[in-house]
Every structure is written in structure tokens, then in C-alpha cells.
Amino acid sequence: DLRSSAARHESSTLSSPTKMHNLQYAYLIGGLFWLVIWVVLFVFRKDLRKAMLLVSLLSTPLGPISQFFYTRDYWRPILFNGWIVGLEDLVFAFSIGGIAAVSSKIFKKGRYVTGGWNSYIKTSIVMAIIGLVWMLVGNLIMGINSMYVSATGLILGGTITLFMRRDLIKDAFAGGVVVSLLFLLSYRLFFLRLFPGIIEEWWFLENISGFLVSGVPIEEILWGFTWGFLAAPFYEFVRGEKFIATK
């Protein structure tokens, strides 16, 4: 039962005030970690700035919207200010949006050009509506864990994107691999070192597979892949452009 699971999780957290104090800023610090990466990319990669800004701004509202679902059955982070909508959600969504948008182009320089590629703005809006409906139906009605509903929705959106822009297949898969690796490395080299035991404190491991990759729930890594899979080709898809690499 999702409510009893959440109640047990909240009870165990409330019984450890010291841990609560230590983890109060953990989510914010994690979000700022991603924001630093975003800023570094934005400063040094002028050729990627437009893509980063557009996707970051579009993905920012998805932070608090997604947490409405995730906090029911996937995890229960502590917000430093105790608000319903956390600043952390906005910072993370903004940062991961822009990073994922250019994840397949981090190691190559170039420029975006137009030239015979269709812009699919209306299609993107329809995809977003379908994704929200799927989250509502899959999670609230069918009872599927929100992380799995989210991941399948992202894969579906990415697949539709590639069906219409097959020239972006390499970008989608490269973006998925890069973002999933960034997730794994950020946890292992940074987050879990600063906050050991946080996975057991915040994540509802009994509601998911419970399989950890180097201490990280595999769902986190898989979600990183699905997000990169959708976001990496998104700018070119919605703008009708193509990134041309230069030597």
C-alpha cells in the first residue's frame, strides 16, 4: 500500500532528528552541483547556449509537477524551506534540462543551422499533453510506480521524435548514455560521499526493484538515460534545425 509505505518512511525519518538536520540541504546541494555544470557549459560553449536556455526554461516547471507523483511512491526528499514546491525542484529541473539538451554535443563544437528540417512545435505540445495524461493514468489510476511511468513516457516521446527526425538517432542514444553516466558519477563521486545512507533514508526501495549499481538505485540511472534520450535531440526537433560539427 503506497500510503502505508509513505507513512512508514516518514515515521522513520522523523524519528531521526539528527539525520533530518544533516540532510536538510542535501537536495539543494545536489541541485546546485548540476547548476555548476550548467554554468560551466554555458560560459565555455557559446555554440550551445540557445539550446541550453530554451530546454532549461521549458523543463523547469516539470520539476515541481513531477515531484507531485514521485513523492507518493518513489522518494521523499527533505526540502530545506519546508515549502510544498521546493526551490530544489526548480534548480534541478532547470539544470538537467539544459545539460541533457546538449549532452550529445559536449565533446564536439559546431553550430545549429536550418536547412530543410521541419519544426515540430505543435507535435511537441501534443507529446507533453500525452505525457501528463500518461502520468495521471499510469500512476494514479493503474498504480504503476511513478518512476516507471515517467521513464516509459520519456522513451515514447523520444521514439516519436526519432520517427519524425531519423537523422537525430545518434544524438538521442548518445545523450541517453552521457546523462545516465553523469547521474552515476554524480552520485558516486559527490552525493553519496557527502550524504552516506541517504538512499535508504529518502528512497522507497520497497516500491522499486531495490537493485543498486554501486549504491545507486538502477532506476536513477535508467531515468537519466530516458531523459537524455528525449532531451538531446529536442532542440533540433522543435526548432527544425541541425547541429553541424566543425573540426
Side-chain angles (χ1 to χ4, degrees):
D1 182 80
L2 295 180
R3 285 177 295 182
S4 62
S5 174
R8 290 194 303 271
H9 187 272
E10 186 174 359
S11 176
S12 64
T13 304
L14 291 175
S15 64
S16 306
T18 304
K19 288 185 177 180
M20 277 189 64
H21 178 73
N22 292 339
L23 299 180
Q24 184 177 359
Y25 297 98
Y27 189 13
L28 180 62
I29 292 172
L32 292 176
F33 171 84
W34 288 99
L35 184 59
V36 168
I37 297 177
W38 190 96
V39 170
V40 171
L41 283 173
F42 189 82
V43 169
F44 290 100
R45 295 298 303 272
K46 294 181 180 180
D47 53 325
L48 303 178
R49 286 180 178 176
K50 288 184 179 179
M52 291 182 66
L53 275 176
L54 176 65
V55 181
S56 284
L57 293 175
L58 290 177
S59 63
T60 298
L62 299 179
I65 292 173
S66 63
Q67 291 307 318
F68 169 79
F69 298 96
Y70 294 152
T71 54
R72 294 180 69 253
D73 57 10
Y74 182 67
W75 78 332
R76 185 68 59 83
I78 299 173
L79 303 181
F80 84 96
N81 52 19
W83 295 354
I84 296 176
V85 177
L87 174 65
E88 300 93 331
D89 300 327
L90 301 174
V91 171
F92 175 75
F94 176 89
S95 304
I96 197 61
I99 293 170
V102 300
S103 55
S104 62
K105 305 168 183 68
I106 292 176
F107 303 107
K108 55 184 180 182
K109 287 192 175 183
R111 59 193 178 93
Y112 290 98
V113 298
T114 57
W117 295 284
N118 292 324
S119 172
Y120 293 104
I121 297 176
K122 292 181 180 179
T123 304
S124 301
I125 296 174
V126 173
M127 285 166 51
I129 295 173
I130 292 174
L132 179 58
V133 172
W134 169 233
M135 284 296 292
L136 290 168
V137 173
N139 183 241
L140 301 183
I141 297 177
M142 298 175 63
I144 304 173
N145 187 275
S146 57
M147 179 54 61
Y148 301 138
V149 176
S150 173
T152 54
L154 293 173
I155 286 292
L156 176 61
T159 302
I160 294 173
T161 298
L162 300 183
F163 180 79
M164 296 183 173
R165 285 286 303 270
R166 298 183 183 181
D167 58 302
L168 299 175
I169 290 177
K170 289 184 179 180
D171 287 89
F173 281 97
V177 171
V178 170
V179 176
S180 61
L181 287 176
L182 284 175
F183 262 72
L184 178 60
L185 292 175
S186 68
Y187 274 104
R188 284 308 311 161
L189 302 180
F190 175 75
F191 203 56
L192 293 183
R193 290 181 180 273
L194 285 180
F195 307 103
I198 194 171
I199 299 298
E200 292 75 16
E201 283 287 322
W202 282 8
W203 271 257
F204 299 133
L205 296 178
E206 67 275 15
N207 292 342
I208 52 179
S209 69
F211 184 73
L212 305 180
V213 178
S214 193
V216 182
I218 193 171
E219 286 80 5
E220 289 288 306
I221 301 169
L222 293 177
W223 187 90
F225 177 86
T226 61
W227 176 244
F229 182 78
L230 174 68
F234 181 79
Y235 179 80
E236 291 154 283
F237 179 75
V238 76
R239 294 272 296 178
E241 296 185 3
K242 177 70 175 179
F243 184 81
I244 305 298
T246 57
K247 294 183 179 180

